[in-house]
Amino acid sequence: MKAILRFTLPLLLLSTSANAIVIRHDQPDARYRVTRQAIPALVDLPDEGHGTLIAPRWVITAAHAVNMMQMMPEEHFVIINGKRRAVSRIVVYPDYPPAREAWQRMFKQVKTEKPDVFMHQYMTAMANMHDIALLELSKPVTDVKPMPIDRGYAKPGMLSMVYGAGATGTELTGAPDSESHRTQLRRAENRLTQSDGPWLRYVFDCSAGAPALSGATAGGDSGGPVTVDVAGRTYLAGVTHGLDGTASEVEHLVRQMQDGSFRIGVCGQRFAAARVSFYAAWIDQTIAGH
């Protein structure tokens, strides 16, 4: 059952197997690796994927990362600080289910659709996609301090950190989706390129002026945190979604998918994360109402 479910979502969203850290080949892997103490509020979902503890009884993650949890009641738990915590309720953003169905229908045509036609469909789908969910825990977490959510600090040009413990590789190899999606925790740094509407975006920049430890996401950490530091305090600015692109970039990616040359995690690719400040009111209302 799990093997079947793993491949049911489209490639750009990368299913429940989305997003891990791809590193630069000119930097030692050890520089990217961090311990769990670097981000205590990091949450592991049952099979793969992450979330972030934002309140004693609440975890935020990507809506697409909890599809399997919704279908398998035995997986209604998360791991925080090495301990299993029961999940009492899964709350996805209200309009996510129909958006996901439309997204799946669209990606059934990715191998045959004209790239320019698919691009227009994709841009519309991203505009309508709200890939975010909250998990309510059965009991409050008392041994980990929740991470505060960003309420508008994240801006283009700011340095952000993305965390993931899934598959890895370098920009020379990419990260094959067949690789393990649970490895060592890594952290990469990227400058934000967009921070308006429902999305944060950044580019895997390998240029001379790029952050030394720039990186990409690729296979195992959907829903994980993208953070920014402001005045010495770390805020949750984004929830990892996956590979993205401008109109021309999406057309190029579709051509690669159609000719078999596609790899995720190469220099110049653009990535998106749900912008937490956009959803702050919904987050507050959901937590306050329960």
Side-chain angles (χ1 to χ4, degrees), residues 35-186:
T35 67
R36 294 281 170 155
Q37 286 66 46
I39 183 165
L42 183 72
V43 175
D44 287 341
L45 301 185
D47 293 303
E48 58 186 67
H50 291 304
T52 307
L53 185 72
I54 59 169
R57 289 186 60 173
W58 292 91
V59 170
I60 194 168
T61 185
H64 82 265
V66 300
N67 289 333
M68 193 175 294
M69 291 180 68
Q70 290 178 301
M71 290 183 279
M72 305 180 72
E74 65 271 25
E75 295 200 349
H76 284 194
F77 69 91
V78 295
I79 304 296
I80 304 173
N81 193 26
K83 300 177 183 178
R84 180 168 169 149
R85 325 280 179 146
V87 172
S88 60
R89 196 161 61 99
I90 300 171
V91 185
V92 300
Y93 197 78
D95 66 0
Y96 174 75
R100 176 177 177 268
E101 291 178 7
W103 187 274
Q104 289 180 295
R105 289 194 300 270
M106 177 183 71
F107 268 89
K108 288 180 179 179
Q109 310 300 320
V110 71
K111 293 289 189 178
T112 57
E113 186 62 271
K114 292 181 179 179
D116 61 331
V117 173
F118 184 91
M119 174 271 292
H120 287 293
Q121 295 172 346
Y122 174 85
M123 303 306 282
T124 298
M126 277 295 283
N128 295 328
M129 174 69 68
H130 298 107
D131 188 15
I132 200 159
L134 290 168
L135 306 178
E136 184 177 10
L137 305 178
S138 298
K139 296 180 181 179
V141 174
T142 59
D143 56 327
V144 174
K145 184 178 180 180
M147 181 178 291
I149 66 171
D150 174 42
R151 296 180 182 271
Y153 290 121
K155 302 294 182 184
M158 287 184 66
L159 193 67
S160 66
M161 299 291 178
V162 58
Y163 293 81
T168 190
T170 72
E171 85 281 8
L172 301 180
T173 64
D177 201 50
S178 58
E179 296 297 316
S180 171
H181 292 164
R182 273 282 161 86
T183 61
Q184 298 293 317
L185 180 62
R186 292 174 176 83

Side-chain angles (χ1 to χ4, degrees), residues 168-238:
T168 190
T170 72
E171 85 281 8
L172 301 180
T173 64
D177 201 50
S178 58
E179 296 297 316
S180 171
H181 292 164
R182 273 282 161 86
T183 61
Q184 298 293 317
L185 180 62
R186 292 174 176 83
R187 175 180 63 194
E189 53 187 15
N190 302 284
R191 294 205 178 277
L192 299 176
T193 59
Q194 185 177 350
S195 62
D196 56 4
W199 299 109
L200 286 181
R201 291 182 167 97
Y202 65 88
V203 173
F204 183 12
D205 187 358
C206 305
S207 69
L213 299 179
S214 60
T217 57
D221 290 323
S222 288
V226 179
T227 68
V228 295
D229 288 346
V230 179
R233 193 176 188 191
T234 299
Y235 294 86
L236 180 69

